[in-house]
């Protein structure tokens, strides 16, 4: 069986698809997926063994210059590629007008997606051959697992979903490797309301100064690097990582002792790796989009405002993890 997945972005939403792929492999061992995805996230789908081909699009970049000659050529090449292959099923797991209208409709195969009551954008359902009612009152991963099950004709397993990507990442070599135990602080989010105040991060860093654990701060954008510099200032046990691609950063996460994170895509990656991960929630609802998997701890701020989440609450949870694992 050959299936096309349309899931364009973002990182957390992409990672949410992996348990559904694992379910499908259980029922159809020879199933293979092609995946349409935004170019910035193209390296992520190949972490799963069931993914065969990756088709990159650039809708985020295209939309600002839609009728530019070069952009029109890129769109035409994408459309030609989609129409050159025939699939047993096409699953639009994004549920947006852009995924349905600009990608799904041009693919060859029976097109599946959320119905008008289930899609994030109800009009997206116009472009599907088969529309599936999927309750919104469940975790996003369970919604996608149910969508795949109904699209491919099997019963969704009652067991907890398996991301099935850790084996791939464990086989990746990267340098340098560290013999000592370290924590990773995922300190940045693109949403201002999801940021934990820098003063709270500094208090937590200072609290851990005599713990023997080092702290690593990743970054991608310039303002995140500046933030990391401010957090690391005057602390000898804090390292600012170099700018890393997603795959290498995934290795650092996989080898970390534990992670403290705001509500960001990399936190979903930590969950997929089953790493002890404390996620700090303000305006988000962890019941629907929280970290899914083993060793996940959610700390919800009073009044849904991260300014009110004390570093002491986070520190106490970290101490529990340290004591449970006899880390010195």
């Amino acid at each position: 069986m050959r299936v096309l997945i349309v899931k364009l972005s973002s990182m957390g939403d992409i990672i949410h698809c992996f348990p559904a792929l694992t379910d499908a492999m259980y029922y159809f061992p020879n199933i293979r997926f092609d995946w349409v995805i935004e170019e910035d996230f193209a390296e992520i789908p190949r972490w799963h063994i069931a993914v065969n081909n990756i088709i990159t699009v650039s809708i985020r970049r295209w939309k600002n210059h839609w009728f530019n000659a070069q952009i029109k050529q890129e769109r035409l090449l994408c459309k030609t590629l989609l129409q050159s292959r025939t699939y047993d099923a096409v699953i639009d797991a994004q549920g947006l007008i852009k995924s349905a209208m600009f990608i799904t409709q041009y693919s060859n195969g029976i097109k599946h997606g959320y119905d008008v009551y289930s899609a994030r954008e109800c009009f997206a359902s116009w472009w599907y051959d088969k529309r599936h009612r999927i309750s919104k009152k469940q975790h996003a991963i369970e919604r996608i697992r149910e969508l795949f099950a109904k699209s491919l004709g099997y019963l969704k397993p009652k067991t907890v979903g398996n991301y099935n990507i850790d084996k791939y990442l464990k086989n990746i070599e990267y340098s340098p490797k560290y013999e000592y135990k370290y924590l990773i602080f995922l300190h940045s989010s693109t949403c201002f309301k999801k940021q934990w105040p820098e003063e709270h991060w500094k208090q937590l860093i200072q609290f851990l100064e005599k713990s023997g654990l080092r702290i690593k701060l990743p970054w991608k954008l310039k303002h995140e690097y500046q933030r990391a510099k401010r957090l690391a200032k005057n602390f000898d046990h804090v390292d600012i990582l170099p700018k890393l691609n997603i795959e290498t950063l995934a290795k650092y996460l996989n080898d970390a002792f534990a992670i403290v994170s705001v509500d960001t895509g990399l936190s979903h990656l930590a969950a997929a790796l089953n790493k002890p991960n404390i996620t700090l929630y303000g305006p988000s609802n962890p019941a629907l989009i929280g970290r899914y998997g083993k060793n996940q701890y959610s700390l919800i701020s009073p009044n849904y405002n991260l300014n009110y989440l004390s570093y002491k609450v986070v520190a106490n949870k970290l101490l529990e993890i340290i004591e449970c694992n006899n880390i010195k």
Side-chain angles (χ1 to χ4, degrees), residues 167-194:
K167 293 180 181 178
Y168 175 87
L169 291 170
K170 285 178 181 177
N171 291 330
I172 298 172
E173 293 294 330
Y174 78 111
S175 181
K177 293 183 177 179
Y178 298 95
E179 299 299 329
Y180 55 80
K181 296 292 183 181
Y182 63 86
L183 305 170
I184 288 184
F185 286 178
L186 301 176
H187 56 92
S188 290
S189 170
T190 55
C191 176
F192 176 77
K193 291 182 179 180
K194 295 180 180 181

PDB file of all heavy atoms in Angstrom, residues 167-194:
ATOM      1  N   LYS A 167      15.078   4.804  17.408  1.00  0.00           N
ATOM      2  CA  LYS A 167      16.101   3.921  16.845  1.00  0.00           C
ATOM      3  C   LYS A 167      16.890   4.620  15.751  1.00  0.00           C
ATOM      4  O   LYS A 167      18.107   4.482  15.660  1.00  0.00           O
ATOM      5  CB  LYS A 167      15.445   2.651  16.286  1.00  0.00           C
ATOM      6  CG  LYS A 167      14.835   1.751  17.351  1.00  0.00           C
ATOM      7  CD  LYS A 167      14.196   0.519  16.738  1.00  0.00           C
ATOM      8  CE  LYS A 167      13.560  -0.350  17.813  1.00  0.00           C
ATOM      9  NZ  LYS A 167      12.883  -1.542  17.227  1.00  0.00           N
ATOM     10  N   TYR A 168      16.207   5.388  14.916  1.00  0.00           N
ATOM     11  CA  TYR A 168      16.894   6.120  13.854  1.00  0.00           C
ATOM     12  C   TYR A 168      17.867   7.124  14.446  1.00  0.00           C
ATOM     13  O   TYR A 168      19.023   7.202  14.040  1.00  0.00           O
ATOM     14  CB  TYR A 168      15.876   6.833  12.962  1.00  0.00           C
ATOM     15  CG  TYR A 168      16.511   7.706  11.899  1.00  0.00           C
ATOM     16  CD1 TYR A 168      16.866   7.178  10.669  1.00  0.00           C
ATOM     17  CD2 TYR A 168      16.767   9.051  12.138  1.00  0.00           C
ATOM     18  CE1 TYR A 168      17.465   7.967   9.697  1.00  0.00           C
ATOM     19  CE2 TYR A 168      17.369   9.849  11.181  1.00  0.00           C
ATOM     20  CZ  TYR A 168      17.712   9.305   9.956  1.00  0.00           C
ATOM     21  OH  TYR A 168      18.304  10.098   9.013  1.00  0.00           O
ATOM     22  N   LEU A 169      17.426   7.883  15.423  1.00  0.00           N
ATOM     23  CA  LEU A 169      18.262   8.942  15.981  1.00  0.00           C
ATOM     24  C   LEU A 169      19.441   8.382  16.762  1.00  0.00           C
ATOM     25  O   LEU A 169      20.518   8.986  16.797  1.00  0.00           O
ATOM     26  CB  LEU A 169      17.419   9.854  16.863  1.00  0.00           C
ATOM     27  CG  LEU A 169      16.393  10.698  16.100  1.00  0.00           C
ATOM     28  CD1 LEU A 169      15.444  11.391  17.058  1.00  0.00           C
ATOM     29  CD2 LEU A 169      17.081  11.718  15.218  1.00  0.00           C
ATOM     30  N   LYS A 170      19.277   7.227  17.371  1.00  0.00           N
ATOM     31  CA  LYS A 170      20.383   6.625  18.122  1.00  0.00           C
ATOM     32  C   LYS A 170      21.528   6.200  17.210  1.00  0.00           C
ATOM     33  O   LYS A 170      22.679   6.083  17.642  1.00  0.00           O
ATOM     34  CB  LYS A 170      19.880   5.428  18.930  1.00  0.00           C
ATOM     35  CG  LYS A 170      19.080   5.812  20.161  1.00  0.00           C
ATOM     36  CD  LYS A 170      18.559   4.590  20.890  1.00  0.00           C
ATOM     37  CE  LYS A 170      17.737   5.008  22.117  1.00  0.00           C
ATOM     38  NZ  LYS A 170      17.158   3.835  22.814  1.00  0.00           N
ATOM     39  N   ASN A 171      21.239   5.959  15.949  1.00  0.00           N
ATOM     40  CA  ASN A 171      22.267   5.513  15.009  1.00  0.00           C
ATOM     41  C   ASN A 171      23.019   6.666  14.350  1.00  0.00           C
ATOM     42  O   ASN A 171      23.941   6.447  13.566  1.00  0.00           O
ATOM     43  CB  ASN A 171      21.640   4.641  13.914  1.00  0.00           C
ATOM     44  CG  ASN A 171      21.172   3.305  14.451  1.00  0.00           C
ATOM     45  OD1 ASN A 171      21.745   2.776  15.403  1.00  0.00           O
ATOM     46  ND2 ASN A 171      20.121   2.754  13.868  1.00  0.00           N
ATOM     47  N   ILE A 172      22.634   7.896  14.657  1.00  0.00           N
ATOM     48  CA  ILE A 172      23.291   9.051  14.057  1.00  0.00           C
ATOM     49  C   ILE A 172      24.526   9.409  14.869  1.00  0.00           C
ATOM     50  O   ILE A 172      24.476   9.537  16.088  1.00  0.00           O
ATOM     51  CB  ILE A 172      22.341  10.270  14.003  1.00  0.00           C
ATOM     52  CG1 ILE A 172      21.137   9.956  13.127  1.00  0.00           C
ATOM     53  CG2 ILE A 172      23.063  11.506  13.476  1.00  0.00           C
ATOM     54  CD1 ILE A 172      20.071  11.020  13.173  1.00  0.00           C
ATOM     55  N   GLU A 173      25.653   9.564  14.188  1.00  0.00           N
ATOM     56  CA  GLU A 173      26.874  10.001  14.852  1.00  0.00           C
ATOM     57  C   GLU A 173      26.922  11.519  14.871  1.00  0.00           C
ATOM     58  O   GLU A 173      26.572  12.178  13.896  1.00  0.00           O
ATOM     59  CB  GLU A 173      28.106   9.451  14.115  1.00  0.00           C
ATOM     60  CG  GLU A 173      28.252   7.941  14.191  1.00  0.00           C
ATOM     61  CD  GLU A 173      28.518   7.452  15.607  1.00  0.00           C
ATOM     62  OE1 GLU A 173      29.124   8.221  16.369  1.00  0.00           O
ATOM     63  OE2 GLU A 173      28.105   6.328  15.944  1.00  0.00           O
ATOM     64  N   TYR A 174      27.338  12.060  15.990  1.00  0.00           N
ATOM     65  CA  TYR A 174      27.502  13.505  16.055  1.00  0.00           C
ATOM     66  C   TYR A 174      28.636  13.826  17.022  1.00  0.00           C
ATOM     67  O   TYR A 174      29.035  13.004  17.834  1.00  0.00           O
ATOM     68  CB  TYR A 174      26.212  14.198  16.492  1.00  0.00           C
ATOM     69  CG  TYR A 174      25.927  14.131  17.985  1.00  0.00           C
ATOM     70  CD1 TYR A 174      25.998  15.267  18.769  1.00  0.00           C
ATOM     71  CD2 TYR A 174      25.585  12.924  18.593  1.00  0.00           C
ATOM     72  CE1 TYR A 174      25.736  15.219  20.125  1.00  0.00           C
ATOM     73  CE2 TYR A 174      25.326  12.872  19.941  1.00  0.00           C
ATOM     74  CZ  TYR A 174      25.398  14.010  20.710  1.00  0.00           C
ATOM     75  OH  TYR A 174      25.148  13.949  22.040  1.00  0.00           O
ATOM     76  N   SER A 175      29.167  15.003  16.893  1.00  0.00           N
ATOM     77  CA  SER A 175      30.297  15.410  17.704  1.00  0.00           C
ATOM     78  C   SER A 175      30.067  16.843  18.177  1.00  0.00           C
ATOM     79  O   SER A 175      29.531  17.674  17.432  1.00  0.00           O
ATOM     80  CB  SER A 175      31.575  15.315  16.869  1.00  0.00           C
ATOM     81  OG  SER A 175      32.698  15.687  17.630  1.00  0.00           O
ATOM     82  N   PRO A 176      30.467  17.160  19.423  1.00  0.00           N
ATOM     83  CA  PRO A 176      31.113  16.251  20.378  1.00  0.00           C
ATOM     84  C   PRO A 176      30.102  15.460  21.194  1.00  0.00           C
ATOM     85  O   PRO A 176      28.936  15.814  21.253  1.00  0.00           O
ATOM     86  CB  PRO A 176      31.891  17.224  21.276  1.00  0.00           C
ATOM     87  CG  PRO A 176      31.023  18.443  21.295  1.00  0.00           C
ATOM     88  CD  PRO A 176      30.415  18.538  19.911  1.00  0.00           C
ATOM     89  N   LYS A 177      30.605  14.394  21.826  1.00  0.00           N
ATOM     90  CA  LYS A 177      29.787  13.635  22.761  1.00  0.00           C
ATOM     91  C   LYS A 177      30.242  13.978  24.180  1.00  0.00           C
ATOM     92  O   LYS A 177      31.416  14.266  24.411  1.00  0.00           O
ATOM     93  CB  LYS A 177      29.915  12.133  22.507  1.00  0.00           C
ATOM     94  CG  LYS A 177      29.320  11.696  21.178  1.00  0.00           C
ATOM     95  CD  LYS A 177      29.407  10.194  21.009  1.00  0.00           C
ATOM     96  CE  LYS A 177      28.744   9.754  19.703  1.00  0.00           C
ATOM     97  NZ  LYS A 177      28.827   8.291  19.498  1.00  0.00           N
ATOM     98  N   TYR A 178      29.318  13.907  25.122  1.00  0.00           N
ATOM     99  CA  TYR A 178      29.626  14.309  26.485  1.00  0.00           C
ATOM    100  C   TYR A 178      29.424  13.139  27.429  1.00  0.00           C
ATOM    101  O   TYR A 178      28.404  12.456  27.386  1.00  0.00           O
ATOM    102  CB  TYR A 178      28.730  15.485  26.903  1.00  0.00           C
ATOM    103  CG  TYR A 178      28.945  16.715  26.060  1.00  0.00           C
ATOM    104  CD1 TYR A 178      28.139  16.975  24.961  1.00  0.00           C
ATOM    105  CD2 TYR A 178      29.981  17.597  26.348  1.00  0.00           C
ATOM    106  CE1 TYR A 178      28.341  18.099  24.176  1.00  0.00           C
ATOM    107  CE2 TYR A 178      30.191  18.728  25.574  1.00  0.00           C
ATOM    108  CZ  TYR A 178      29.376  18.965  24.493  1.00  0.00           C
ATOM    109  OH  TYR A 178      29.585  20.077  23.706  1.00  0.00           O
ATOM    110  N   GLU A 179      30.439  12.940  28.291  1.00  0.00           N
ATOM    111  CA  GLU A 179      30.355  11.857  29.266  1.00  0.00           C
ATOM    112  C   GLU A 179      29.570  12.283  30.503  1.00  0.00           C
ATOM    113  O   GLU A 179      29.034  11.451  31.213  1.00  0.00           O
ATOM    114  CB  GLU A 179      31.769  11.420  29.675  1.00  0.00           C
ATOM    115  CG  GLU A 179      32.607  10.882  28.515  1.00  0.00           C
ATOM    116  CD  GLU A 179      31.995   9.641  27.880  1.00  0.00           C
ATOM    117  OE1 GLU A 179      31.330   8.858  28.601  1.00  0.00           O
ATOM    118  OE2 GLU A 179      32.161   9.462  26.663  1.00  0.00           O
ATOM    119  N   TYR A 180      29.518  13.582  30.786  1.00  0.00           N
ATOM    120  CA  TYR A 180      28.840  14.066  31.984  1.00  0.00           C
ATOM    121  C   TYR A 180      27.331  14.239  31.721  1.00  0.00           C
ATOM    122  O   TYR A 180      26.885  14.313  30.586  1.00  0.00           O
ATOM    123  CB  TYR A 180      29.448  15.384  32.453  1.00  0.00           C
ATOM    124  CG  TYR A 180      29.487  16.463  31.403  1.00  0.00           C
ATOM    125  CD1 TYR A 180      28.367  17.229  31.095  1.00  0.00           C
ATOM    126  CD2 TYR A 180      30.670  16.736  30.710  1.00  0.00           C
ATOM    127  CE1 TYR A 180      28.404  18.208  30.133  1.00  0.00           C
ATOM    128  CE2 TYR A 180      30.724  17.731  29.748  1.00  0.00           C
ATOM    129  CZ  TYR A 180      29.588  18.460  29.467  1.00  0.00           C
ATOM    130  OH  TYR A 180      29.624  19.438  28.501  1.00  0.00           O
ATOM    131  N   LYS A 181      26.581  14.315  32.799  1.00  0.00           N
ATOM    132  CA  LYS A 181      25.138  14.504  32.705  1.00  0.00           C
ATOM    133  C   LYS A 181      24.830  15.985  32.484  1.00  0.00           C
ATOM    134  O   LYS A 181      25.438  16.852  33.110  1.00  0.00           O
ATOM    135  CB  LYS A 181      24.448  14.026  33.985  1.00  0.00           C
ATOM    136  CG  LYS A 181      24.590  12.533  34.248  1.00  0.00           C
ATOM    137  CD  LYS A 181      23.816  11.720  33.229  1.00  0.00           C
ATOM    138  CE  LYS A 181      23.913  10.228  33.551  1.00  0.00           C
ATOM    139  NZ  LYS A 181      23.175   9.420  32.556  1.00  0.00           N
ATOM    140  N   TYR A 182      23.897  16.241  31.614  1.00  0.00           N
ATOM    141  CA  TYR A 182      23.529  17.626  31.380  1.00  0.00           C
ATOM    142  C   TYR A 182      22.021  17.751  31.175  1.00  0.00           C
ATOM    143  O   TYR A 182      21.324  16.803  30.808  1.00  0.00           O
ATOM    144  CB  TYR A 182      24.281  18.203  30.168  1.00  0.00           C
ATOM    145  CG  TYR A 182      23.989  17.541  28.839  1.00  0.00           C
ATOM    146  CD1 TYR A 182      22.912  17.942  28.046  1.00  0.00           C
ATOM    147  CD2 TYR A 182      24.816  16.533  28.347  1.00  0.00           C
ATOM    148  CE1 TYR A 182      22.653  17.352  26.817  1.00  0.00           C
ATOM    149  CE2 TYR A 182      24.573  15.940  27.124  1.00  0.00           C
ATOM    150  CZ  TYR A 182      23.490  16.346  26.358  1.00  0.00           C
ATOM    151  OH  TYR A 182      23.238  15.764  25.136  1.00  0.00           O
ATOM    152  N   LEU A 183      21.531  18.961  31.443  1.00  0.00           N
ATOM    153  CA  LEU A 183      20.159  19.348  31.197  1.00  0.00           C
ATOM    154  C   LEU A 183      20.109  20.225  29.958  1.00  0.00           C
ATOM    155  O   LEU A 183      21.088  20.905  29.636  1.00  0.00           O
ATOM    156  CB  LEU A 183      19.590  20.138  32.370  1.00  0.00           C
ATOM    157  CG  LEU A 183      19.647  19.499  33.751  1.00  0.00           C
ATOM    158  CD1 LEU A 183      19.253  20.531  34.806  1.00  0.00           C
ATOM    159  CD2 LEU A 183      18.724  18.302  33.827  1.00  0.00           C
ATOM    160  N   ILE A 184      18.990  20.214  29.270  1.00  0.00           N
ATOM    161  CA  ILE A 184      18.758  21.172  28.183  1.00  0.00           C
ATOM    162  C   ILE A 184      17.555  22.025  28.556  1.00  0.00           C
ATOM    163  O   ILE A 184      16.517  21.496  28.965  1.00  0.00           O
ATOM    164  CB  ILE A 184      18.540  20.467  26.835  1.00  0.00           C
ATOM    165  CG1 ILE A 184      19.855  19.876  26.323  1.00  0.00           C
ATOM    166  CG2 ILE A 184      17.961  21.442  25.803  1.00  0.00           C
ATOM    167  CD1 ILE A 184      19.776  19.244  24.959  1.00  0.00           C
ATOM    168  N   PHE A 185      17.730  23.327  28.430  1.00  0.00           N
ATOM    169  CA  PHE A 185      16.639  24.262  28.656  1.00  0.00           C
ATOM    170  C   PHE A 185      16.170  24.799  27.307  1.00  0.00           C
ATOM    171  O   PHE A 185      16.918  25.500  26.620  1.00  0.00           O
ATOM    172  CB  PHE A 185      17.083  25.424  29.547  1.00  0.00           C
ATOM    173  CG  PHE A 185      17.245  25.077  31.003  1.00  0.00           C
ATOM    174  CD1 PHE A 185      17.684  26.038  31.912  1.00  0.00           C
ATOM    175  CD2 PHE A 185      16.963  23.800  31.478  1.00  0.00           C
ATOM    176  CE1 PHE A 185      17.825  25.734  33.257  1.00  0.00           C
ATOM    177  CE2 PHE A 185      17.111  23.479  32.818  1.00  0.00           C
ATOM    178  CZ  PHE A 185      17.550  24.448  33.711  1.00  0.00           C
ATOM    179  N   LEU A 186      14.954  24.451  26.919  1.00  0.00           N
ATOM    180  CA  LEU A 186      14.353  24.984  25.693  1.00  0.00           C
ATOM    181  C   LEU A 186      13.625  26.266  26.102  1.00  0.00           C
ATOM    182  O   LEU A 186      12.475  26.247  26.505  1.00  0.00           O
ATOM    183  CB  LEU A 186      13.402  23.954  25.084  1.00  0.00           C
ATOM    184  CG  LEU A 186      14.056  22.610  24.713  1.00  0.00           C
ATOM    185  CD1 LEU A 186      13.003  21.628  24.211  1.00  0.00           C
ATOM    186  CD2 LEU A 186      15.144  22.809  23.661  1.00  0.00           C
ATOM    187  N   HIS A 187      14.325  27.356  25.978  1.00  0.00           N
ATOM    188  CA  HIS A 187      13.931  28.609  26.626  1.00  0.00           C
ATOM    189  C   HIS A 187      13.170  29.564  25.726  1.00  0.00           C
ATOM    190  O   HIS A 187      12.741  30.628  26.190  1.00  0.00           O
ATOM    191  CB  HIS A 187      15.196  29.319  27.144  1.00  0.00           C
ATOM    192  CG  HIS A 187      16.224  29.554  26.068  1.00  0.00           C
ATOM    193  ND1 HIS A 187      16.268  30.707  25.332  1.00  0.00           N
ATOM    194  CD2 HIS A 187      17.227  28.756  25.611  1.00  0.00           C
ATOM    195  CE1 HIS A 187      17.262  30.623  24.461  1.00  0.00           C
ATOM    196  NE2 HIS A 187      17.860  29.445  24.614  1.00  0.00           N
ATOM    197  N   SER A 188      13.001  29.237  24.434  1.00  0.00           N
ATOM    198  CA  SER A 188      12.400  30.203  23.510  1.00  0.00           C
ATOM    199  C   SER A 188      11.169  29.636  22.815  1.00  0.00           C
ATOM    200  O   SER A 188      11.093  28.442  22.510  1.00  0.00           O
ATOM    201  CB  SER A 188      13.418  30.632  22.450  1.00  0.00           C
ATOM    202  OG  SER A 188      14.428  31.422  23.032  1.00  0.00           O
ATOM    203  N   SER A 189      10.231  30.525  22.559  1.00  0.00           N
ATOM    204  CA  SER A 189       9.041  30.194  21.784  1.00  0.00           C
ATOM    205  C   SER A 189       8.753  31.363  20.847  1.00  0.00           C
ATOM    206  O   SER A 189       9.065  32.518  21.158  1.00  0.00           O
ATOM    207  CB  SER A 189       7.842  29.961  22.711  1.00  0.00           C
ATOM    208  OG  SER A 189       6.643  29.862  21.978  1.00  0.00           O
ATOM    209  N   THR A 190       8.156  31.056  19.699  1.00  0.00           N
ATOM    210  CA  THR A 190       7.794  32.121  18.762  1.00  0.00           C
ATOM    211  C   THR A 190       6.612  32.945  19.279  1.00  0.00           C
ATOM    212  O   THR A 190       6.358  34.040  18.799  1.00  0.00           O
ATOM    213  CB  THR A 190       7.435  31.533  17.386  1.00  0.00           C
ATOM    214  OG1 THR A 190       6.395  30.553  17.555  1.00  0.00           O
ATOM    215  CG2 THR A 190       8.650  30.879  16.744  1.00  0.00           C
ATOM    216  N   CYS A 191       5.890  32.410  20.248  1.00  0.00           N
ATOM    217  CA  CYS A 191       4.736  33.105  20.831  1.00  0.00           C
ATOM    218  C   CYS A 191       5.161  33.770  22.142  1.00  0.00           C
ATOM    219  O   CYS A 191       5.598  33.090  23.078  1.00  0.00           O
ATOM    220  CB  CYS A 191       3.593  32.125  21.068  1.00  0.00           C
ATOM    221  SG  CYS A 191       2.154  32.862  21.886  1.00  0.00           S
ATOM    222  N   PHE A 192       5.000  35.068  22.221  1.00  0.00           N
ATOM    223  CA  PHE A 192       5.448  35.817  23.401  1.00  0.00           C
ATOM    224  C   PHE A 192       4.762  35.319  24.670  1.00  0.00           C
ATOM    225  O   PHE A 192       5.388  35.218  25.733  1.00  0.00           O
ATOM    226  CB  PHE A 192       5.180  37.319  23.205  1.00  0.00           C
ATOM    227  CG  PHE A 192       5.526  38.156  24.405  1.00  0.00           C
ATOM    228  CD1 PHE A 192       6.847  38.468  24.694  1.00  0.00           C
ATOM    229  CD2 PHE A 192       4.519  38.607  25.264  1.00  0.00           C
ATOM    230  CE1 PHE A 192       7.170  39.230  25.820  1.00  0.00           C
ATOM    231  CE2 PHE A 192       4.833  39.365  26.383  1.00  0.00           C
ATOM    232  CZ  PHE A 192       6.166  39.683  26.660  1.00  0.00           C
ATOM    233  N   LYS A 193       3.469  34.986  24.587  1.00  0.00           N
ATOM    234  CA  LYS A 193       2.723  34.560  25.764  1.00  0.00           C
ATOM    235  C   LYS A 193       3.201  33.211  26.309  1.00  0.00           C
ATOM    236  O   LYS A 193       2.894  32.855  27.439  1.00  0.00           O
ATOM    237  CB  LYS A 193       1.230  34.490  25.446  1.00  0.00           C
ATOM    238  CG  LYS A 193       0.581  35.847  25.208  1.00  0.00           C
ATOM    239  CD  LYS A 193      -0.910  35.698  24.954  1.00  0.00           C
ATOM    240  CE  LYS A 193      -1.567  37.058  24.745  1.00  0.00           C
ATOM    241  NZ  LYS A 193      -3.030  36.934  24.505  1.00  0.00           N
ATOM    242  N   LYS A 194       3.958  32.470  25.496  1.00  0.00           N
ATOM    243  CA  LYS A 194       4.470  31.169  25.925  1.00  0.00           C
ATOM    244  C   LYS A 194       5.883  31.258  26.496  1.00  0.00           C
ATOM    245  O   LYS A 194       6.481  30.238  26.853  1.00  0.00           O
ATOM    246  CB  LYS A 194       4.448  30.180  24.755  1.00  0.00           C
ATOM    247  CG  LYS A 194       3.043  29.854  24.258  1.00  0.00           C
ATOM    248  CD  LYS A 194       3.088  28.863  23.103  1.00  0.00           C
ATOM    249  CE  LYS A 194       1.688  28.535  22.598  1.00  0.00           C
ATOM    250  NZ  LYS A 194       1.727  27.552  21.487  1.00  0.00           N
TER     251      LYS A 194
END
